[in-house]
Amino acid sequence: QESMHAYAANVYTTVIEELMKGKQRKFIAVEQEFFRLWWDMVATDTQKQQVHQLLQEGRLEFVIGGQVMHDEAVTLIDDQILQLTEGHGFLYETFGFRPQFSWHVDPFGASATTPTLFALAGFNAHLISRIDYDLKADMQKNKKLQFVWQGSPSLSERQEIFTHVMDQYSYCTPSQLPFSNRSGFFWNGFATFPDPPKDGVYPNMSLPVTDANLHLYAQTMVANIKERAAWFRTGDVLWPWASGCDKQFFNASVQYSNMDLLVDYINKHSGEFGVTVQYATVSDYFQAVYSRNLTWETRDSQDFLPYSTEPFQAWTGFYTSRSTLKGIARRASSLLYAGESFFTQYVRKHPEGSICKCKALKQLQSLRWAVSEVQHHDGITGTESPKVKDMYMNNLMYGMFNVKKLMASIIFDINNAKKNGEVYSSVYTKDSGKPGATNVDQYVVVYNPLAWNITTFVTVSVSNEAMSVYDELGRSVPAQVQSSVESQSTYDLYILVAISGLSYRKYSIKPLNGKQSAFIGRSIKYKRRDLTRADQQGPQLFPVVNSCYQIVFDQNTNLMHSITERETNQTVQFTQEFLEYHVNGDTVKGPISDNYLFAPNASAVPVSKAVGLEVMSGSLMTEIRQYFYSNVTSQDYIYAVYTRLYSVPEGYDGKLLCHRIEQEYSVGPLELNREAVLRTSTNLNTRQLLYTDNNGYQMQKRPFKVYVNNTVARNYYPMVQTAYIEDDTTRLMLLAERAHGVSSQGNGQVEVMLHRRLWNNLQWDLNNNLTLNDSSVVRPVIWLILGTKAVTNTLYQTSGLALEHRPVVMFGELSGDKPKLPRRLQQNSVHDSPVTVPPNLHLQTLSIPGWKYSSNHAEQVRSIHRGKQKQGDADFSRVLLRIRHLYEVGEDPVLSQPVVVDLKSLLKGLGSVTAVEERSLTGTWDVNTLERWKWKTAQYPGKRFFKSTGASEVYIVTVHPKEIRTFFVYFQVQ
């Protein structure tokens, strides 16, 4: 809102005005969030008309067109797709416009997922800028800044995209002028916060172009154009006139009038300068390069992460910065995923329901907006000021509250509950109901948002140890209760739930009255151990066992000692410790760590000299609680690990649960200028090779690289969802519910950065309040899977998604007369799964977007020209469906096979399917009319268009490895 007031609104207002004054003038715009705020709150009818005209003339062009320019390192693929879809839906509905080029100039490093997504969205070319400084210099020298990128090994040339890397000047023009002591080429100066200047005179405005300096300006511009031209293969130079890099064109009349003079002068003297210049959009530039018909080199699926700007500036700190925000952003995304499918089922199956659909859609939209916006490259990255972080948090919490409220009211409406049985939902962190008092029965409703049957535990906070749990039919449900980790006065009740895909179950929790109770977890506390003296005795080992693993602890140190995978009887030495990197905050003394950068002084230092241990054991779960103290006599611990091992009773499918070693950490508050890591050391001979994921979509190989400077920080990589190390036989897999920095700093080791607390005196950081003095306690969760490659291969995709999309728990209490669920609903919700997919497919999206646009392009364009777009309610008949194949070609003998899906029978639980349209990734193209540019490569010398082919038999679809298929589905009206 402040940016809107200080400059962003003025950009659109003044640029539109200036474009109307000169036919040669052009402009590109990226982020829809700012544009939509201007369009909805500021723009006049005349300005709106002008925007329509300029888009038609190709002089205003939207590139990328998502809500934001998303970060590429720490975002999840689902959320990248969401924010692109959100922006594209608005642009297509409002203007019939479909972006076809990217402008990803600012994310800190480039992921290989992005080119694939942009290809799937129908883009013809992709543009990036921030890659390693030494790599860029090399590519620049050898004219290799442009290539055809095959970002996905499985989709390879089918979803390749031409990629342009900006040169060393990036998206800027040179700021130094040889003839002036003022900055160059940005005549509108710098934006001022919080208010624009009353007189229109901004600080640091460049020297206006006059007859006296016109030739000097032209010489400077031409020299820079020629310097850049030498780095590219064609005579077309993209010269980005973003003038001062960031925050420009808020005073566009000054900018364009000076640019016009310069452009005209160079073109009049083009013989002398050897250069002609013109205003252009991104599509003009790529069209020029494409028409040269050159043959381009291809790049495989290797990404451009991590990113360094100088020898001591590795941008690997932001992989962990503001861990709480990263965690909440992912919980919000997961809740949105659940809410969308829940609402879609409600609309399809309960057309007579009493909930106002338009209001429900607004509730979902508030969370779509919040989750989209936080994907910004200064959002989920943690590189914003505290004030902006609070805005992201508030918007996420507000959206989550709305969606929980919607889900609760749907359950209420379906169950026709009497108004005294209130369904309420706790909104975040550990969901907990009101403690069950004796006269009130509590119930929980648990929704499984995945399209697979799941067996897992949900946790409920209760006030009493003596509890029993029953399902809808009054049968006893396995549960375990034990003293809570969080507080002395409450208990954690773990309930074993088995729920089919996209369904919910209802469980009653009753105080005990003589009948069968939940198992009670018993505590054994071990003496706190002094690690400095532990070496003097041999280990004293004790095991914790379930049917998949035996974990051995050493009572001498209270640390983990080894893990045995019981099926193969393979034992791996396994120890974990917390360490801290000490970092410098004084720029005089050397490189600093900040929100973006990680610059350790030296190796990490172990933090605790003493460890306390408590084991809670019960028949369903054993929880090992380790507390790490700075010394034997310290009162408070700074670190804790809660390790949970599950045992599943007969009659339940416990495969995933049994193979998961769940760890929850408590870290903080840290001291200043400390970066906290958990290092896991094994005796696996990994040759220091690490694997980490790109955005939860595909894996990257990360060999350890030695550099002259900053080797530790430059070997950190983002783990969004998955990382693993392995030797010839055994693999250790880590699955995460938020992004972390991860590294292998030694053979058989993997370390995860969990938290950072920093302060520095760099002037820019101080001015922007970017010192990351984060005094919070963070509680991330990581699941470990240990086993053969074959076993971990079958488990990690489904487990990663089971962690990402844990069941949604809602609470209610019933006092006095208890409404019973109608029989029909019981049967329905308990047994029939409305939608189930095989384990190598993921139902990526099932939602009702509400867009009003026609999926026939000609019709959509006509109705916009006739001004028909404004009226009408949201469209609730169109369902958006995405299906993703989880495996790569050749990754697994069974799971990597293509899957034939019959959409009619897949969706029969939602009603009778009458029509299916296959669409581009964000829904704006019919795949049968989408033609992308095919750039020539040595592999494919012919130049042609990529012609997508949709499903030949409308309802039968074959989904190949790594494909993401997008459909509009229509059902028979009930």
Side-chain angles (χ1 to χ4, degrees), residues 64-364:
I64 306 178
Q67 277 294 93
V68 294
M69 187 188 294
H70 67 254
D71 166 69
E72 298 194 35
V74 299
T75 47
L76 194 61
I77 183 171
D78 309 57
D79 302 328
Q80 298 178 350
I81 294 172
L82 170 77
Q83 75 86 21
L84 269 179
T85 304
E86 186 66 22
H88 286 188
F90 163 77
L91 283 175
Y92 194 55
E93 185 169 85
T94 315
F95 306 110
F97 183 88
R98 303 180 282 200
Q100 287 194 275
F101 300 93
S102 102
W103 183 259
H104 246 219
V105 295
D106 220 16
F108 322 131
S111 158
T113 306
T114 316
T116 303
L117 288 193
F118 286 166
L120 289 168
F123 287 16
N124 290 319
H126 176 37
L127 184 149
I128 61 177
S129 179
R130 291 181 181 267
I131 66 170
D132 263 340
Y133 70 98
D134 39 6
L135 178 61
K136 182 180 275 198
D138 189 57
M139 290 167 76
Q140 197 167 273
K141 192 174 78 204
N142 297 305
K143 297 195 181 188
K144 289 185 188 278
L145 289 169
Q146 293 170 317
F147 47 85
V148 171
W149 195 354
Q150 298 179 347
S152 160
S154 295
L155 302 174
S156 65
E157 77 283 350
R158 285 182 300 141
Q159 300 301 342
E160 67 190 15
I161 192 166
F162 182 79
T163 303
H164 171 104
V165 183
M166 289 192 142
D167 59 46
Q168 69 190 42
Y169 290 100
S170 189
Y171 55 98
C172 309
T173 46
S175 52
Q176 260 61 54
L177 294 176
F179 54 89
S180 158
N181 57 4
R182 292 200 221 170
S183 293
F185 301 102
F186 46 117
W187 294 280
N188 53 198
F190 285 141
T192 59
F193 283 77
D195 298 302
K198 297 272 185 289
D199 58 2
V201 177
Y202 286 84
N204 211 13
M205 293 167 82
S206 299
L207 204 59
V209 176
T210 59
D211 288 347
N213 64 23
L214 182 52
H215 189 73
L216 296 168
Y217 256 121
Q219 277 178 322
T220 307
M221 182 168 167
V222 167
N224 185 260
I225 289 170
K226 287 182 169 172
E227 182 187 6
R228 287 174 149 177
W231 300 327
F232 292 93
R233 288 180 59 199
T234 76
D236 317 290
V237 179
L238 186 155
W239 207 71
W241 216 321
S243 325
C245 290
D246 286 344
K247 299 191 178 75
Q248 288 296 308
F249 282 94
F250 46 81
N251 194 0
S253 65
V254 185
Q255 195 61 33
Y256 275 110
S257 55
N258 283 285
M259 294 193 317
D260 282 351
L261 293 169
L262 207 40
V263 167
D264 292 346
Y265 182 80
I266 292 173
N267 288 340
K268 278 204 186 80
H269 300 86
S270 62
E272 171 195 342
F273 287 126
V275 166
T276 59
V277 291
Q278 67 175 73
Y279 287 109
T281 61
V282 183
S283 82
D284 293 334
Y285 171 70
F286 281 123
Q287 186 71 64
V289 177
Y290 183 59
S291 62
R292 300 275 183 177
N293 208 9
L294 298 183
T295 300
W296 299 95
E297 284 188 8
T298 52
R299 179 183 177 88
D300 65 11
S301 57
Q302 187 58 51
D303 65 6
F304 292 95
L305 288 164
Y307 160 62
S308 289
T309 38
E310 283 175 28
F312 284 103
Q313 292 189 347
W315 295 51
T316 56
F318 81 91
Y319 301 159
T320 306
S321 296
R322 300 206 190 286
S323 179
T324 303
L325 175 64
K326 285 176 163 63
I328 294 285
R330 288 273 282 274
R331 293 311 296 142
S333 158
S334 168
L335 179 63
L336 176 62
Y337 175 76
E340 296 279 15
S341 66
F342 205 59
F343 176 64
T344 303
Q345 292 186 71
Y346 175 73
V347 170
R348 292 291 330 126
K349 296 190 207 162
H350 300 275
E352 302 305 302
S354 67
I355 290 172
C356 165
K357 295 200 292 257
C358 289
K359 183 188 169 196
L361 188 62
K362 284 201 166 65
Q363 289 173 306
L364 285 166

Side-chain angles (χ1 to χ4, degrees), residues 792-931:
T792 54
N793 247 349
T794 60
L795 294 170
Y796 84 101
Q797 292 283 11
T798 35
S799 296
L801 285 158
L803 174 57
E804 187 64 34
H805 297 297
R806 286 167 285 186
V808 177
V809 181
M810 286 163 285
F811 299 90
E813 16 181 89
L814 298 170
S815 46
D817 54 334
K818 303 175 184 64
K820 278 278 174 274
L821 290 182
R823 273 286 142 164
R824 188 181 58 78
L825 182 103
Q826 280 178 6
Q827 296 314 320
N828 197 352
S829 70
V830 180
H831 301 298
D832 311 337
S833 166
V835 182
T836 311
V837 297
N840 51 353
L841 295 190
H842 171 45
L843 189 73
Q844 173 127 5
T845 309
L846 181 67
S847 72
I848 293 180
W851 302 311
K852 294 179 273 229
Y853 63 69
S854 164
S855 54
N856 176 316
H857 184 62
E859 208 172 284
Q860 172 63 4
V861 171
R862 269 199 307 277
S863 72
I864 287 170
H865 287 336
R866 294 203 304 267
K868 288 264 162 59
Q869 271 310 95
K870 290 174 186 129
Q871 314 85 13
D873 278 340
D875 175 1
F876 291 96
S877 68
R878 173 189 292 149
V879 171
L880 174 66
L881 169 75
R882 283 194 193 94
I883 299 174
R884 163 155 66 108
H885 197 302
L886 294 170
Y887 283 82
E888 297 283 0
V889 170
E891 186 180 355
D892 183 273
V894 178
L895 297 167
S896 291
Q897 297 303 316
V899 183
V900 178
V901 179
D902 178 341
L903 295 177
K904 267 195 154 167
S905 91
L906 176 72
L907 301 171
K908 67 177 187 290
L910 299 179
S912 172
V913 174
T914 55
V916 170
E917 300 164 356
E918 182 158 6
R919 307 293 291 185
S920 60
L921 182 70
T922 59
T924 52
W925 293 88
D926 171 347
V927 292
N928 297 303
T929 61
L930 173 60
E931 292 190 338

